[in-house]
Amino acid sequence: MNPPSFEGLHTRPAQAWGSIRLVPLVRDEPVPGLRLDRRAYQDPSIVDIGDGTAYWSYIPHAFVATWTQASGPAAAYGTRLLAKDEAGTGPPSMPIKVRRRMARRVAKDRLRFLPLHMAVEGYLSLHFGGPEIAWEEWSQRALAHGLSPRSEEAYLGLYVRGLEDALGIFEIHPGQCGVMVYVADALASAFVVPHPDDYRALHATLVEDMYGEQMYQYGLLNLPAADLRARIDATQVRSLKDLRAQADRCQAEWAAFHDDIMAGRLLDPDGTYQTVQHLGHFELGRFLPTFRLRQENHIGEAITDAQGRIAYLKSFRLSDAQTRRGHLLTQLAAHNWNIEDTAAALGTDAAQLGLRIERAGFGFLLRQDVLDHYRSQARKST
């Protein structure tokens, strides 16, 4: 797929509430031929990925994308909330629903997909098969089952302090089709839809999305958002025309600062992009970063047109620990899971790398005697 492009989206002045900053994204014109609506769920679910693999998750809602094949004018179905269509009967219980796929066609021109689950699944499946060569350090479990099971933690937006209040208080801009969510001026998530009516209907679902551990902690700390308001040069104002020119300058400077500095690392130009589904002349895909340490890294999913312009996007910021795990797995895979070669590439020795693998939560991949040997070597070196 073409790497996503924010062409056609424009940044507008931000609104801040405590540690939460929302930056609106507007379009001059809606994306033709694509609409999104919401299908609500309430039960814990088992998601069938489609290759015999399944995982447990709580899914608050799914998005349904409706598109038209023709490039000319077409009547949209409109944005609406759909009631859950899988109601059951029987004694009181907690039913488990099987969502057959994360992205599944429900009609020839409609696709139901679970927001952010494709992106997270792409991260969880990163080198999921484990060692491809039976090096002597790896356990039989690692060679037979790889990284199964693999789990990561995320937090519901309701638990990010201040987010629900901010979404209820802030105004929605005319033509707004997206938003950048910041917690203590750290980019937590980006959300883009094709039409302003879609955004108005889905604005509140941001509190049901997944957010990383770092965002949850920043919310608890209640760190105030910085004062980033642009200043009008009063010495240059002699008329309403001058005031308008100053306001336009401030808006342009803010947009440039936001796009280049605050949101500049959202899309990793060296990251990977994978197409999951075709929707007429649109593509639904997911992106992964290169897992650069001590930098922000985002995973996400997007619907793009033939030119790569974003019609829909939702992102998730990885925590530092999640970034380290992704970096470690990527380095091991790049060196054919050879401990010595990977350690040399990382500027360390095999014992330190082995303990690093254990700290990352992958200690079960190593044979117990090998891990004990690495611990003994580390104690002697200190």
Side-chain angles (χ1 to χ4, degrees), residues 106-314:
V106 293
K108 67 178 183 179
D109 61 347
R110 306 191 87 197
L111 181 79
R112 185 221 55 171
F113 61 98
L114 309 178
L116 276 181
H117 281 252
M118 284 191 309
V120 173
E121 188 271 333
Y123 173 72
L124 288 175
S125 64
L126 189 68
H127 310 298
F128 190 75
E132 299 174 358
I133 299 175
W135 303 105
E136 63 179 10
E137 295 89 352
W138 303 109
S139 66
Q140 288 300 313
R141 176 181 171 184
L143 298 174
H145 304 290
L147 277 75
S148 179
R150 173 92 190 275
S151 63
E152 292 290 347
E153 289 187 353
Y155 291 83
L156 198 65
L158 286 167
Y159 297 113
V160 177
R161 181 178 294 175
L163 179 59
E164 185 177 17
D165 291 338
L167 291 172
I169 293 171
F170 291 171
E171 296 179 355
I172 296 178
H173 279 242
Q176 183 169 349
C177 291
V179 68
M180 298 280 194
V181 180
Y182 293 84
V183 184
D185 283 326
L187 178 57
S189 177
F191 178 44
V192 178
V193 294
H195 195 284
D197 290 346
D198 299 346
Y199 184 82
R200 287 184 175 274
L202 300 173
H203 174 78
T205 66
L206 288 166
V207 298
E208 297 177 341
D209 284 342
M210 297 183 288
Y211 294 86
E213 178 185 12
Q214 187 175 5
M215 301 302 103
Y216 170 73
Q217 292 176 345
Y218 281 3
L220 290 179
L221 293 174
N222 200 26
L223 301 171
D227 185 0
L228 299 179
R229 289 175 295 181
R231 306 295 179 182
I232 289 179
D233 185 357
T235 62
Q236 301 297 317
V237 177
R238 295 290 183 272
S239 64
L240 288 177
K241 182 178 179 180
D242 294 340
L243 183 60
R244 169 53 60 188
Q246 284 290 310
D248 291 342
R249 176 190 62 80
C250 289
Q251 181 168 299
E253 288 179 354
W254 157 250
F257 169 76
H258 171 267
D259 298 349
D260 295 340
I261 306 301
M262 296 185 69
R265 296 186 184 276
L266 172 60
L267 300 177
D268 188 339
D270 299 320
T272 58
Y273 301 87
Q274 178 187 14
T275 299
V276 177
Q277 283 276 1
H278 291 276
L279 297 77
H281 60 282
F282 296 98
E283 289 183 344
L284 172 64
R286 60 190 175 203
F287 55 89
L288 288 171
T290 50
F291 302 105
R292 293 171 176 157
L293 298 177
R294 293 176 291 278
Q295 295 184 23
E296 62 181 271
N297 289 266
H298 300 263
I299 61 175
E301 59 202 18
I303 296 177
T304 57
D305 64 11
Q307 288 73 45
R309 293 173 298 191
I310 292 171
Y312 158 81
L313 181 137
K314 191 177 283 287

